Structures are given as C-alpha cells and as structure tokens.
Amino acid sequence: PPLNMETRWFENHVAYTMSKFGMSMCVLGMAGEFKGLGIGVNALWPRTTIATAAIANIVGGKEMMRRSRKPSIMGDAAHWILTQDSKSTTGNFFIDDDVLLGSGLTDLSDYAVEPGVELMPDFFL
C-alpha cells in the first residue's frame, strides 16, 4: 500500500514521530540487509502506555500510571521474539500483547498496574 503521511501524526510531536518512522525504516532495511546472514531485525511496540518514569513525571501522572501496563510485558514479549528462529522471524512490527497472546498466554491481567481499570492506548499505534 502507498505511504500515507498525515499531519496529525507529526503536528504535536514531530521529534517522537520522526524517531518512530526512522525506527521503522531501520527495521525494514536491516531485515532485508541481514536476512542472508540469518540475523533477525524486528520492532516491538506497546499497545498501551507502559508504567515508566516518563509516564509518571511528564506525560500523564498518577492517573495514566494506573491505566498503564507494567514494563514486564515488554520484557516478556521481547524474550519470546528473541527466542524465535531469526531466519524466519525478521522484518516484523510486533505489538506486545499480540506476541504474548500468540505464544499461548490467555490472561494479561498480571501486566496491568491496576487490574480492572481501562487501559490507556499507546499514542502511536
């Protein structure tokens, strides 16, 4: 499909959007470049906000923290990706909860900072 660049993705956070776009180009380029060597290159993005110092202190404070998931969801998803066959698992844009659900996990509630609270979607997904 054609690249559809829209002002809405850039207007409020140009630098962050540029870094996400750059990361995407690196994933695709390096996946192609290193495929013949058996090196896998992938991206991992969160579906929801992740409870980090940036969320607590800059972006959203306590309310957004309680609507976030714990960082361990990213670690567990990354572990799954890194243990796959790098020859066939390359050039992907993985989403943390899709990875874990696809690996057989059925309950993601342990990753919620406050289980039962509606999660805050990530800003760039």
Side-chain angles (χ1 to χ4, degrees), residues 75-95:
D76 291 349
H79 178 266
W80 183 88
I81 294 166
L82 292 168
T83 58
Q84 300 311 297
D85 175 26
S86 62
K87 290 182 175 97
S88 60
T89 307
T90 190
N92 298 291
F93 297 88
F94 289 109
I95 300 171

Side-chain angles (χ1 to χ4, degrees), residues 30-110:
M30 288 189 285
E33 181 177 355
F34 300 125
K35 187 171 184 145
L37 299 173
I39 298 171
V41 180
N42 300 285
L44 175 60
W45 294 345
R47 182 172 310 278
T48 69
T49 53
I50 301 297
T52 62
I55 294 295
N57 300 318
I58 300 169
V59 181
K62 290 180 182 180
E63 179 57 27
M64 193 175 291
M65 284 293 282
R66 60 187 289 270
R67 294 182 60 198
S68 297
R69 284 183 170 148
K70 299 172 188 171
S72 57
I73 192 169
M74 295 297 286
D76 291 349
H79 178 266
W80 183 88
I81 294 166
L82 292 168
T83 58
Q84 300 311 297
D85 175 26
S86 62
K87 290 182 175 97
S88 60
T89 307
T90 190
N92 298 291
F93 297 88
F94 289 109
I95 300 171
D96 57 358
D97 57 3
D98 284 345
V99 167
L100 295 174
L101 292 170
S103 73
L105 190 62
T106 58
D107 182 8
L108 301 176
S109 63
D110 285 345

